Amino acid sequence: MHEAPWLTVLGLGEDGLDGLSPASRQVLERAEIIMGPPRHLSLIPDSTAQRVEWPVPFADGLPVLTGFRGRPTVVLASGDPFWFGAGSVIARNFEAWEWTALPGQSTFSLAAARLGWPLEATLTFGLHAAPLTRLRPHLSPGLRAILLLRNGAAVTELATYLTETGFADTRLHVMEALGGPRERSRSVSLTEALLGGFDHPVCVALEVAGEGRALPKSSGKPDEIFETDGQITKRPVRALTLSALAPHRGEHLWDIGGGTGSISIEWLMCDPTLTATTIEPRADRAERIRRNADALGQDRLTVIHGTAPDALDGLSLPDVVFIGGGLSAALLDWLYATLPAGTRLVANAVTLESEALLAQWHEKRGGDLLRIELAQAAPLGPRRGWKSGYPVVQWSVTL
């Protein structure tokens, strides 16, 4: 039978003790150790408790916190610790019986209340340590979103990013120190935001407007959004390939022969719980995949410069594998010998040799074999005719 929790994750607002419930006040009074960022510690009056500043980077604080195990300890967090806060990190690193949480009012709730926006129809982002490019798949005229930013200078960076992506008519609602005596709210244009002068802590609500290109939500994103040297799975084939890969929540993809990275990037765009690793033998293309992923807000893509199957050793096993390049009998043998039953595999072939290989493996292992032939209207003298692309043979199978 476990003892009572020794660790409390306490959500704190900018009004300090004034916004705390009686239960939260009692926890603070009984604490031997209070740990948190300097700003949060400054909101708590002096007491007999030992005060410990949470170090930067954040992960360095976990061993320090572990050293207090068994002693009444309070970790201070902003608002609701489980909404882009420290709560989930602590929950992953400590047993469930060791900790409890007393959430405060979230910054998102306070911001929505100031603006009169329904939260269920508003996107929320925690961009304290994440790049602004995380916004890119969502940017579209009419979007409303609330962002948590790392500091006041990030407001100017946000205004610059929105201008560069074509959404220069966006209106920003900049809110500083919400819920506290220093609270200040301003609605500004991007031009005004570029002048700076904003103080931390800050959140920004966006009303997106402008002539920027909105990315479609369907599979088969426009080819033009990817930097490429011509080695790219074209949009219609990419849409059919994503359909065959059939991403499910929480799955991990191996994209072998990444090329431009379009398959793994679109895979990640389907759902924020998806993960992917792409393997590319050419260094220049691996670097290009990294640039594409970062520019399109998919910085969580892992890019490996190497050749399969050698580069696959030691990687976390996938739920789904896509082979877009480097197809060989040796690679298929390795995948069948190494991956667990139930792993889904999709392979695309263009050459006669790789097409013949897929036909042999389809006969041996089953699955579905699909031939994709597409033609596009193009000038033909003074008239128009159909210009056919190379046919693509696609094999889909469950190991």
Side-chain angles (χ1 to χ4, degrees):
M1 188 168 182
H2 295 303
E3 300 176 2
W6 59 271
L7 172 61
T8 300
V9 186
L10 179 62
L12 190 66
E14 291 301 309
D15 51 357
L17 291 183
D18 292 342
L20 294 182
S21 67
S24 296
R25 288 170 179 265
Q26 288 178 3
V27 167
L28 277 175
E29 291 170 359
R30 296 170 182 167
E32 293 182 13
I33 297 157
I34 301 176
M35 188 173 178
R39 183 173 62 85
H40 290 107
L41 292 173
S42 69
L43 298 173
I44 300 296
D46 289 337
S47 67
T48 58
Q50 177 186 351
R51 292 175 176 239
V52 180
E53 289 190 7
W54 196 287
V56 177
F58 184 85
D60 290 352
L62 294 172
V64 178
L65 183 58
T66 301
F68 301 138
R69 182 173 266 131
R71 300 172 62 187
T73 302
V74 172
V75 170
L76 301 177
S78 294
D80 185 344
F82 287 90
W83 203 346
F84 297 113
S88 59
V89 179
I90 290 173
R92 287 197 303 269
N93 285 275
F94 293 90
E95 299 293 338
W97 63 268
E98 293 186 273
W99 61 270
T100 186
L102 294 172
Q105 195 169 30
S106 76
T107 302
F108 297 113
S109 297
L110 289 170
R114 301 294 186 269
L115 298 168
W117 291 4
L119 266 178
E120 72 274 10
T122 303
L123 292 185
T124 58
F125 296 87
L127 301 180
H128 307 89
L132 294 174
T133 51
R134 291 274 179 95
L135 295 172
R136 188 61 191 94
H138 309 280
L139 290 177
S140 177
L143 170 72
R144 283 180 169 180
I146 300 174
L147 286 56
L148 304 182
L149 300 178
R150 67 180 181 276
N151 55 31
V155 180
T156 301
E157 296 171 14
L158 173 64
T160 301
Y161 178 70
L162 291 170
T163 301
E164 291 173 346
T165 50
F167 297 96
D169 296 328
T170 297
R171 194 74 177 165
L172 303 186
H173 305 281
V174 184
M175 291 161 277
E176 302 156 80
L178 276 176
R182 297 189 301 112
E183 179 176 328
R184 181 171 66 160
S185 298
R186 287 174 282 173
S187 295
V188 299
S189 66
L190 296 192
T191 301
E192 292 168 323
L194 289 172
L195 299 176
F198 304 102
D199 295 324
H200 181 67
V202 63
C203 81
V204 176
L206 306 179
E207 292 185 277
V208 177
E211 301 301 321
R213 183 173 195 168
L215 303 185
K217 297 298 183 182
S218 63
S219 295
K221 303 289 190 291
D223 294 344
E224 295 76 20
I225 70 172
F226 299 98
E227 177 192 342
T228 178
D229 60 358
Q231 186 71 17
I232 183 173
T233 304
K234 297 297 191 292
R235 181 186 60 80
V237 176
R238 198 179 329 121
L240 290 170
T241 301
L242 265 292
S243 177
L245 291 172
H248 292 73
R249 180 177 176 84
E251 289 188 324
H252 183 64
L253 170 74
W254 280 357
D255 178 7
I256 299 175
T260 298
S262 59
I263 291 292
S264 49
I265 289 171
E266 282 215 42
W267 165 278
L268 292 172
M269 285 182 173
C270 292
D271 191 271
T273 67
L274 296 171
T275 55
T277 298
T278 185
I279 298 90
E280 169 55 48
R282 282 181 47 172
D284 59 332
R285 286 179 175 168
E287 293 171 0
R288 186 176 292 111
I289 293 171
R290 179 76 276 153
R291 292 195 297 272
N292 279 327
D294 292 345
L296 294 170
Q298 308 308 317
D299 52 282
R300 68 187 191 279
L301 174 63
T302 300
V303 181
I304 294 178
H305 172 218
T307 302
D310 293 342
L312 304 176
D313 277 331
L315 298 183
S316 298
L317 294 181
D319 302 285
V320 188
V321 177
F322 172 65
I323 305 175
L327 178 66
S328 67
L331 175 58
L332 292 175
D333 284 333
W334 188 93
L335 292 173
Y336 264 89
T338 306
L339 300 183
T343 304
R344 304 195 302 280
L345 170 66
V346 177
N348 286 357
V350 177
T351 67
L352 291 174
E353 291 79 6
S354 56
E355 180 178 332
L357 179 63
L358 290 187
Q360 294 170 7
W361 279 76
H362 172 253
E363 181 181 12
K364 180 167 57 173
R365 298 290 188 177
D368 296 316
L369 198 61
L370 176 70
R371 184 178 174 89
I372 305 168
E373 298 187 72
L374 300 169
Q376 189 169 11
L380 185 62
R383 299 177 181 275
R384 292 171 299 148
W386 291 111
K387 182 178 181 180
S388 297
Y390 288 113
V392 175
V393 172
Q394 183 179 92
W395 180 45
S396 306
V397 70
T398 300
L399 273 57

